[in-house]
Amino acid sequence: MALLMGMAHAVAQTPPAPPAGADPAVLEDVVIGSRVLADFGVLDGFGHVSARHPTNPNHFLMARSLAPALVTANDIMEFDLDGNPVDARGRTVFLERFIHGEIYRARPDVMSVVHTHSPGVIPFGVTKVPLRAMFHNPAFLGAGVPVWDIRKDFGDTNMLVSDSAIGKSLAGALGDKPVILMRGHGDVTVGPSVKMAVFRAYYTDVNAKLQAQAIALGGEVNYLTPAEAEKADKINFVVLDRIWNLWRMRILPQLGK
Amino acid sequence: MALLMGMAHAVAQTPPAPPAGADPAVLEDVVIGSRVLADFGVLDGFGHVSARHPTNPNHFLMARSLAPALVTANDIMEFDLDGNPVDARGRTVFLERFIHGEIYRARPDVMSVVHTHSPGVIPFGVTKVPLRAMFHNPAFLGAGVPVWDIRKDFGDTNMLVSDSAIGKSLAGALGDKPVILMRGHGDVTVGPSVKMAVFRAYYTDVNAKLQAQAIALGGEVNYLTPAEAEKADKINFVVLDRIWNLWRMRILPQLGK
Amino acid sequence: MALLMGMAHAVAQTPPAPPAGADPAVLEDVVIGSRVLADFGVLDGFGHVSARHPTNPNHFLMARSLAPALVTANDIMEFDLDGNPVDARGRTVFLERFIHGEIYRARPDVMSVVHTHSPGVIPFGVTKVPLRAMFHNPAFLGAGVPVWDIRKDFGDTNMLVSDSAIGKSLAGALGDKPVILMRGHGDVTVGPSVKMAVFRAYYTDVNAKLQAQAIALGGEVNYLTPAEAEKADKINFVVLDRIWNLWRMRILPQLGK
Amino acid sequence: MALLMGMAHAVAQTPPAPPAGADPAVLEDVVIGSRVLADFGVLDGFGHVSARHPTNPNHFLMARSLAPALVTANDIMEFDLDGNPVDARGRTVFLERFIHGEIYRARPDVMSVVHTHSPGVIPFGVTKVPLRAMFHNPAFLGAGVPVWDIRKDFGDTNMLVSDSAIGKSLAGALGDKPVILMRGHGDVTVGPSVKMAVFRAYYTDVNAKLQAQAIALGGEVNYLTPAEAEKADKINFVVLDRIWNLWRMRILPQLGK
């Protein structure tokens, strides 16, 4: 990833300025979150991190169609909840922006959405083994992790959430949960801030890999109880800035800061 | 891999110029593809990426015998479909260039061939478990992945595709598919461009590792249906440049660009 | 991790000086240990390394609440065994400092405590498979590795060792052993020096991953006998500086040294 | 590993010059081999690479007691086959130099010995599953891989090859093979050159990991036949310089070259 350090400048020239009036701190969180998930392999060349617009709850902020490791603040565009760009200026947009728009519409508490093809979760999306909380950091999984299969409502598709109807089906299956797996595709995590949605994307991947290892050891696995999970997840809000500060300091040099 | 960054200059002095008339963009694709697959561990010190000659369909372009992480445009040579170098100038050539020549001969649609010993696929080449599409990016596997065993036609060999007869056997087993596994050896991926053949080599390795993990979880695995795979693979052509641009920006600093 | 190299200066400005009278060599060991375990992924953004105060056995030294990869000598604070900071100066402290205080109280032989959420050990904390010594470097595991379940004494909690009573329960379960696993959480390693506690945290993680792989191969696993483990662990004290010197030279550039 | 790049100078000041009369090319091979195996995680802070003295077959060359990632030519010492240093000048020596001396004594064809605790092989040393050749690069495993258990001849020990008698037992179990596993410890690879012994250490680790994955897929594994292995291993001698050149170019910057 050291090789990515010099890219920020070259990319920054391509798109115009970020959306007017968008809080620079939120834009930075989207940039840091996109790049740190790429650094950890939770995202590869695909996937995306978005934020609800801080002052217009019917809009959201997401990069133009670009690999997450390359995103800068200047690449971030503004969309309405139908997935229409407010001011496209010729930039290409993500095919799956409907994941974000429909979840923001269905879940007023959600301020950020992350979509990944994380290697940990893909096996859990195609088997019957439920993803469950292995330890306190991924305690948010204790609420239950639904698996959404696009084939159930839409038959044989290209697997993408490529319109509002499919986005609504996904948002409906997510319900009030923080994480959903997508069969043959990846996952979506949501949260009350970009930091927390990114934290959940990271620890969902970590948990999945550890759960697979525990299952391979054989015998019963002693997961967090629902009550433990609920209590432990409250602590994640207390300690979130500690790990976010680490991630931010790891990414800033890529941005020439 | 940061340690490889300074090598481009030293290596570039050894061989003479690249083949006359070869499109520099295609040469760059071969260089980027060779190096990014090495960065990801899909290739180690062995394996190779080739392109059909853009203006002479009976010739192909491939590096002299050199580790993929070290390939520059100046290392690329021109070969006829029998594997004869057009202008060797004393350079050593890959023992397995017949993989490339015979596939270009048998498959007019193929513009690029990649041969790897990728760690994901080797276990699938020596067991009876078919490689199948786990998610949308490796959807091209949904067409079916044959396994070629050199022993079937040639008995006990040194395992290499070291002449045209062996290359023809491999090309025959590949048929019209995009990927073939080679028992006790590795795999070959092909495509209508260098970018797509490299994309397929990368996602074949990713898919194999994820499929092994899904199998280890136990129970039935819910693979992409053939119809889903066919539709999803069409999207790969739409998004290919997004990930290729990431890979290119990752490699360019190694080339002093 | 190369991206962390430039961070030392920025962080060093935040907190004031390290505890007066604390041996700089011990402070450096805490810094090196924290950072090298983060480099190896034994620690992520969480976990901590402490040392008993060299001249006051009723106090210990531990960083303020900070990701281990960012710790510098100036971040290290002094605590009494009840977990009270001697001179907080407004700095936030780790919620789980009671792990350290109660183990120092119960174990006069222990000069350092490391707490991790290491990926190797979490699966062993939630299954019935005992962690056992696979080879000579983790021979200290041959003494037996207890698993402590916070639920046994405290019911449904947030999983953290967040007060002295929970710390005492953990220290009691540790007994005279060098390592204890914490169900749904991680582990604690202790030693007669920071170097040895860090060595044990590293090799406990290595051993757990290798033991999982040996179990997956099938059949009986031929672990070190108790007598072999006891003899082999004596050698670890002889060779400890060889690996510590490597780790120290790996981390010094991060500190601008 | 980028962090190791600046270390060469500091370490080089400690020891005096390398053994008089030793071929600088062989010394460089020992340095490159030690460091590249550390880069790949085949060696960690422990393990060693040696060469038979090019002009005195009753002596061998090995570093002073030092982590492999830090070895420079100036750290290399000369030993007789009993493990006595020719000119110690106060330098500490490896406890397990008897592995090397006794194998050089028993095997006149062997010009280099590598001892590792490689993560791939440790599980195979403590189970009944024989290590077998998965593909052509590790074809040298097709000759059969003995497992030596120190407990058989010496009862409960500290697991180390700490004297000539233990070294002779190990050399006897190796016989005429290129690789031997050591129960609860690691492995030894040998070869007619440093390059080939290092190549074998690397591909033994690669093969072990792939074999474990193939076994986990279930069903019979289709290994190389003995005849295939014998033929394929001949090719390794032809292509060895291709991968060695890559490894050498990867390491030279660490040495300031």
Side-chain angles (χ1 to χ4, degrees), chain C residues 30-60:
Chain C
V30 171
V31 171
I32 300 292
S34 300
R35 286 172 175 254
V36 83
L37 291 177
D39 255 24
F40 288 137
V42 175
L43 299 173
D44 61 1
F46 303 113
H48 11 85
V49 175
S50 74
R52 193 188 290 271
H53 194 291
T55 58
N56 179 352
N58 292 317
H59 281 192
F60 66 95

mmCIF file of all heavy atoms in Angstrom, chain C residues 30-60:
data_model
loop_
_atom_site.group_PDB
_atom_site.id
_atom_site.type_symbol
_atom_site.label_atom_id
_atom_site.label_comp_id
_atom_site.label_asym_id
_atom_site.label_seq_id
_atom_site.Cartn_x
_atom_site.Cartn_y
_atom_site.Cartn_z
ATOM 1 N N VAL C 30 8.411 -1.231 26.723
ATOM 2 C CA VAL C 30 6.940 -1.142 26.597
ATOM 3 C C VAL C 30 6.569 -0.588 25.215
ATOM 4 O O VAL C 30 5.646 -1.088 24.562
ATOM 5 C CB VAL C 30 6.341 -0.278 27.725
ATOM 6 C CG1 VAL C 30 4.860 -0.004 27.468
ATOM 7 C CG2 VAL C 30 6.532 -0.955 29.077
ATOM 8 N N VAL C 31 7.305 0.416 24.773
ATOM 9 C CA VAL C 31 7.032 1.013 23.456
ATOM 10 C C VAL C 31 7.308 -0.002 22.343
ATOM 11 O O VAL C 31 6.463 -0.211 21.454
ATOM 12 C CB VAL C 31 7.879 2.291 23.256
ATOM 13 C CG1 VAL C 31 7.779 2.793 21.816
ATOM 14 C CG2 VAL C 31 7.440 3.367 24.245
ATOM 15 N N ILE C 32 8.473 -0.630 22.380
ATOM 16 C CA ILE C 32 8.835 -1.611 21.341
ATOM 17 C C ILE C 32 7.830 -2.764 21.342
ATOM 18 O O ILE C 32 7.347 -3.190 20.288
ATOM 19 C CB ILE C 32 10.258 -2.158 21.577
ATOM 20 C CG1 ILE C 32 11.308 -1.041 21.539
ATOM 21 C CG2 ILE C 32 10.591 -3.284 20.597
ATOM 22 C CD1 ILE C 32 11.524 -0.410 20.214
ATOM 23 N N GLY C 33 7.520 -3.269 22.522
ATOM 24 C CA GLY C 33 6.588 -4.396 22.622
ATOM 25 C C GLY C 33 5.215 -4.055 22.070
ATOM 26 O O GLY C 33 4.608 -4.834 21.325
ATOM 27 N N SER C 34 4.702 -2.866 22.429
ATOM 28 C CA SER C 34 3.379 -2.455 21.935
ATOM 29 C C SER C 34 3.371 -2.388 20.418
ATOM 30 O O SER C 34 2.451 -2.874 19.751
ATOM 31 C CB SER C 34 3.027 -1.065 22.491
ATOM 32 O OG SER C 34 2.990 -1.080 23.900
ATOM 33 N N ARG C 35 4.402 -1.782 19.874
ATOM 34 C CA ARG C 35 4.428 -1.549 18.431
ATOM 35 C C ARG C 35 4.727 -2.811 17.633
ATOM 36 O O ARG C 35 4.166 -3.010 16.547
ATOM 37 C CB ARG C 35 5.458 -0.459 18.103
ATOM 38 C CG ARG C 35 4.968 0.935 18.507
ATOM 39 C CD ARG C 35 6.060 1.979 18.354
ATOM 40 N NE ARG C 35 5.571 3.313 18.620
ATOM 41 C CZ ARG C 35 5.337 4.243 17.671
ATOM 42 N NH1 ARG C 35 5.587 3.978 16.405
ATOM 43 N NH2 ARG C 35 4.874 5.426 18.006
ATOM 44 N N VAL C 36 5.594 -3.670 18.144
ATOM 45 C CA VAL C 36 5.906 -4.865 17.359
ATOM 46 C C VAL C 36 4.713 -5.827 17.367
ATOM 47 O O VAL C 36 4.420 -6.470 16.348
ATOM 48 C CB VAL C 36 7.225 -5.519 17.827
ATOM 49 C CG1 VAL C 36 7.026 -6.435 19.027
ATOM 50 C CG2 VAL C 36 7.850 -6.288 16.670
ATOM 51 N N LEU C 37 3.995 -5.910 18.474
ATOM 52 C CA LEU C 37 2.802 -6.763 18.485
ATOM 53 C C LEU C 37 1.734 -6.199 17.541
ATOM 54 O O LEU C 37 0.996 -6.965 16.908
ATOM 55 C CB LEU C 37 2.258 -6.913 19.907
ATOM 56 C CG LEU C 37 3.142 -7.737 20.861
ATOM 57 C CD1 LEU C 37 2.542 -7.751 22.268
ATOM 58 C CD2 LEU C 37 3.351 -9.167 20.370
ATOM 59 N N ALA C 38 1.658 -4.876 17.417
ATOM 60 C CA ALA C 38 0.738 -4.286 16.434
ATOM 61 C C ALA C 38 1.202 -4.603 15.013
ATOM 62 O O ALA C 38 0.396 -4.942 14.141
ATOM 63 C CB ALA C 38 0.634 -2.776 16.648
ATOM 64 N N ASP C 39 2.507 -4.516 14.760
ATOM 65 C CA ASP C 39 3.043 -4.852 13.437
ATOM 66 C C ASP C 39 2.695 -6.283 13.038
ATOM 67 O O ASP C 39 2.446 -6.565 11.865
ATOM 68 C CB ASP C 39 4.572 -4.713 13.451
ATOM 69 C CG ASP C 39 5.051 -3.473 12.730
ATOM 70 O OD1 ASP C 39 4.272 -2.509 12.610
ATOM 71 O OD2 ASP C 39 6.216 -3.441 12.303
ATOM 72 N N PHE C 40 2.726 -7.200 13.998
ATOM 73 C CA PHE C 40 2.458 -8.614 13.706
ATOM 74 C C PHE C 40 0.963 -8.933 13.704
ATOM 75 O O PHE C 40 0.584 -10.084 13.500
ATOM 76 C CB PHE C 40 3.152 -9.509 14.728
ATOM 77 C CG PHE C 40 4.644 -9.564 14.568
ATOM 78 C CD1 PHE C 40 5.486 -9.505 15.668
ATOM 79 C CD2 PHE C 40 5.220 -9.691 13.322
ATOM 80 C CE1 PHE C 40 6.859 -9.560 15.523
ATOM 81 C CE2 PHE C 40 6.601 -9.749 13.161
ATOM 82 C CZ PHE C 40 7.420 -9.679 14.267
ATOM 83 N N GLY C 41 0.105 -7.955 14.025
ATOM 84 C CA GLY C 41 -1.326 -8.232 14.071
ATOM 85 C C GLY C 41 -1.756 -8.962 15.333
ATOM 86 O O GLY C 41 -2.893 -9.412 15.428
ATOM 87 N N VAL C 42 -0.854 -9.127 16.292
ATOM 88 C CA VAL C 42 -1.246 -9.734 17.576
ATOM 89 C C VAL C 42 -2.130 -8.735 18.334
ATOM 90 O O VAL C 42 -3.080 -9.114 19.008
ATOM 91 C CB VAL C 42 0.006 -10.128 18.390
ATOM 92 C CG1 VAL C 42 -0.374 -10.635 19.769
ATOM 93 C CG2 VAL C 42 0.809 -11.160 17.622
ATOM 94 N N LEU C 43 -1.806 -7.470 18.214
ATOM 95 C CA LEU C 43 -2.664 -6.379 18.668
ATOM 96 C C LEU C 43 -3.208 -5.661 17.442
ATOM 97 O O LEU C 43 -2.523 -5.566 16.425
ATOM 98 C CB LEU C 43 -1.868 -5.368 19.511
ATOM 99 C CG LEU C 43 -1.227 -5.897 20.796
ATOM 100 C CD1 LEU C 43 -0.344 -4.821 21.422
ATOM 101 C CD2 LEU C 43 -2.301 -6.324 21.789
ATOM 102 N N ASP C 44 -4.451 -5.147 17.526
ATOM 103 C CA ASP C 44 -4.916 -4.245 16.467
ATOM 104 C C ASP C 44 -4.996 -2.839 17.081
ATOM 105 O O ASP C 44 -3.991 -2.315 17.545
ATOM 106 C CB ASP C 44 -6.217 -4.737 15.807
ATOM 107 C CG ASP C 44 -7.411 -4.854 16.746
ATOM 108 O OD1 ASP C 44 -7.285 -4.543 17.947
ATOM 109 O OD2 ASP C 44 -8.492 -5.228 16.274
ATOM 110 N N GLY C 45 -6.113 -2.202 17.066
ATOM 111 C CA GLY C 45 -6.198 -0.877 17.682
ATOM 112 C C GLY C 45 -6.355 -0.947 19.186
ATOM 113 O O GLY C 45 -6.315 0.079 19.865
ATOM 114 N N PHE C 46 -6.543 -2.166 19.695
ATOM 115 C CA PHE C 46 -6.807 -2.342 21.123
ATOM 116 C C PHE C 46 -5.771 -3.272 21.740
ATOM 117 O O PHE C 46 -4.984 -3.890 21.049
ATOM 118 C CB PHE C 46 -8.232 -2.879 21.322
ATOM 119 C CG PHE C 46 -9.280 -1.987 20.706
ATOM 120 C CD1 PHE C 46 -10.039 -2.413 19.613
ATOM 121 C CD2 PHE C 46 -9.482 -0.701 21.183
ATOM 122 C CE1 PHE C 46 -10.992 -1.585 19.035
ATOM 123 C CE2 PHE C 46 -10.430 0.135 20.600
ATOM 124 C CZ PHE C 46 -11.182 -0.309 19.532
ATOM 125 N N GLY C 47 -5.813 -3.398 23.083
ATOM 126 C CA GLY C 47 -4.833 -4.208 23.809
ATOM 127 C C GLY C 47 -3.748 -3.315 24.393
ATOM 128 O O GLY C 47 -3.641 -2.138 24.012
ATOM 129 N N HIS C 48 -2.959 -3.871 25.333
ATOM 130 C CA HIS C 48 -1.960 -3.042 26.017
ATOM 131 C C HIS C 48 -0.843 -3.884 26.632
ATOM 132 O O HIS C 48 -1.035 -5.053 26.948
ATOM 133 C CB HIS C 48 -2.582 -2.181 27.123
ATOM 134 C CG HIS C 48 -3.993 -2.510 27.490
ATOM 135 N ND1 HIS C 48 -4.314 -3.488 28.400
ATOM 136 C CD2 HIS C 48 -5.170 -1.994 27.051
ATOM 137 C CE1 HIS C 48 -5.637 -3.550 28.538
ATOM 138 N NE2 HIS C 48 -6.193 -2.664 27.717
ATOM 139 N N VAL C 49 0.293 -3.238 26.780
ATOM 140 C CA VAL C 49 1.500 -3.831 27.367
ATOM 141 C C VAL C 49 1.859 -2.986 28.588
ATOM 142 O O VAL C 49 1.919 -1.759 28.480
ATOM 143 C CB VAL C 49 2.667 -3.778 26.358
ATOM 144 C CG1 VAL C 49 3.962 -4.275 26.990
ATOM 145 C CG2 VAL C 49 2.322 -4.577 25.098
ATOM 146 N N SER C 50 2.098 -3.620 29.735
ATOM 147 C CA SER C 50 2.516 -2.854 30.912
ATOM 148 C C SER C 50 3.765 -3.455 31.534
ATOM 149 O O SER C 50 4.151 -4.589 31.223
ATOM 150 C CB SER C 50 1.405 -2.816 31.963
ATOM 151 O OG SER C 50 1.303 -4.076 32.606
ATOM 152 N N ALA C 51 4.395 -2.671 32.419
ATOM 153 C CA ALA C 51 5.554 -3.136 33.192
ATOM 154 C C ALA C 51 5.345 -2.746 34.651
ATOM 155 O O ALA C 51 4.842 -1.645 34.936
ATOM 156 C CB ALA C 51 6.836 -2.495 32.673
ATOM 157 N N ARG C 52 5.730 -3.628 35.564
ATOM 158 C CA ARG C 52 5.755 -3.232 36.968
ATOM 159 C C ARG C 52 6.800 -2.121 37.110
ATOM 160 O O ARG C 52 7.843 -2.147 36.446
ATOM 161 C CB ARG C 52 6.116 -4.426 37.851
ATOM 162 C CG ARG C 52 5.866 -4.170 39.341
ATOM 163 C CD ARG C 52 6.424 -5.300 40.193
ATOM 164 N NE ARG C 52 5.700 -6.549 40.071
ATOM 165 C CZ ARG C 52 4.645 -6.912 40.831
ATOM 166 N NH1 ARG C 52 4.194 -6.083 41.757
ATOM 167 N NH2 ARG C 52 4.069 -8.091 40.653
ATOM 168 N N HIS C 53 6.523 -1.147 37.954
ATOM 169 C CA HIS C 53 7.488 -0.062 38.154
ATOM 170 C C HIS C 53 8.789 -0.649 38.709
ATOM 171 O O HIS C 53 8.762 -1.389 39.692
ATOM 172 C CB HIS C 53 6.918 0.981 39.122
ATOM 173 C CG HIS C 53 7.685 2.265 39.108
ATOM 174 N ND1 HIS C 53 8.971 2.369 39.602
ATOM 175 C CD2 HIS C 53 7.364 3.497 38.644
ATOM 176 C CE1 HIS C 53 9.391 3.616 39.452
ATOM 177 N NE2 HIS C 53 8.441 4.323 38.871
ATOM 178 N N PRO C 54 9.915 -0.335 38.097
ATOM 179 C CA PRO C 54 11.172 -1.003 38.481
ATOM 180 C C PRO C 54 11.580 -0.760 39.932
ATOM 181 O O PRO C 54 12.191 -1.635 40.548
ATOM 182 C CB PRO C 54 12.202 -0.403 37.518
ATOM 183 C CG PRO C 54 11.424 0.111 36.362
ATOM 184 C CD PRO C 54 10.099 0.525 36.906
ATOM 185 N N THR C 55 11.220 0.390 40.480
ATOM 186 C CA THR C 55 11.676 0.667 41.860
ATOM 187 C C THR C 55 10.517 0.704 42.854
ATOM 188 O O THR C 55 10.760 0.730 44.056
ATOM 189 C CB THR C 55 12.457 2.000 41.916
ATOM 190 O OG1 THR C 55 11.593 3.050 41.427
ATOM 191 C CG2 THR C 55 13.710 1.944 41.055
ATOM 192 N N ASN C 56 9.286 0.697 42.377
ATOM 193 C CA ASN C 56 8.137 0.674 43.289
ATOM 194 C C ASN C 56 7.231 -0.489 42.895
ATOM 195 O O ASN C 56 6.377 -0.350 42.018
ATOM 196 C CB ASN C 56 7.369 2.004 43.221
ATOM 197 C CG ASN C 56 6.165 1.991 44.154
ATOM 198 O OD1 ASN C 56 5.810 0.964 44.730
ATOM 199 N ND2 ASN C 56 5.524 3.152 44.274
ATOM 200 N N PRO C 57 7.366 -1.636 43.542
ATOM 201 C CA PRO C 57 6.634 -2.833 43.108
ATOM 202 C C PRO C 57 5.121 -2.704 43.265
ATOM 203 O O PRO C 57 4.395 -3.548 42.744
ATOM 204 C CB PRO C 57 7.189 -3.938 44.007
ATOM 205 C CG PRO C 57 7.848 -3.253 45.145
ATOM 206 C CD PRO C 57 8.297 -1.905 44.651
ATOM 207 N N ASN C 58 4.641 -1.675 43.932
ATOM 208 C CA ASN C 58 3.202 -1.472 44.075
ATOM 209 C C ASN C 58 2.630 -0.538 43.011
ATOM 210 O O ASN C 58 1.472 -0.128 43.122
ATOM 211 C CB ASN C 58 2.872 -0.947 45.471
ATOM 212 C CG ASN C 58 3.147 -2.012 46.527
ATOM 213 O OD1 ASN C 58 2.821 -3.177 46.326
ATOM 214 N ND2 ASN C 58 3.796 -1.618 47.611
ATOM 215 N N HIS C 59 3.434 -0.189 42.056
ATOM 216 C CA HIS C 59 2.962 0.627 40.939
ATOM 217 C C HIS C 59 3.296 -0.072 39.625
ATOM 218 O O HIS C 59 4.184 -0.918 39.571
ATOM 219 C CB HIS C 59 3.629 2.014 40.973
ATOM 220 C CG HIS C 59 3.005 2.946 41.975
ATOM 221 N ND1 HIS C 59 3.268 4.291 42.013
ATOM 222 C CD2 HIS C 59 2.114 2.717 42.978
ATOM 223 C CE1 HIS C 59 2.584 4.856 42.996
ATOM 224 N NE2 HIS C 59 1.884 3.927 43.611
ATOM 225 N N PHE C 60 2.569 0.313 38.572
ATOM 226 C CA PHE C 60 2.928 -0.193 37.244
ATOM 227 C C PHE C 60 2.829 0.922 36.204
ATOM 228 O O PHE C 60 2.214 1.971 36.455
ATOM 229 C CB PHE C 60 2.100 -1.428 36.858
ATOM 230 C CG PHE C 60 0.637 -1.201 36.670
ATOM 231 C CD1 PHE C 60 0.092 -0.962 35.410
ATOM 232 C CD2 PHE C 60 -0.246 -1.246 37.747
ATOM 233 C CE1 PHE C 60 -1.275 -0.780 35.219
ATOM 234 C CE2 PHE C 60 -1.610 -1.056 37.574
ATOM 235 C CZ PHE C 60 -2.123 -0.817 36.313
#
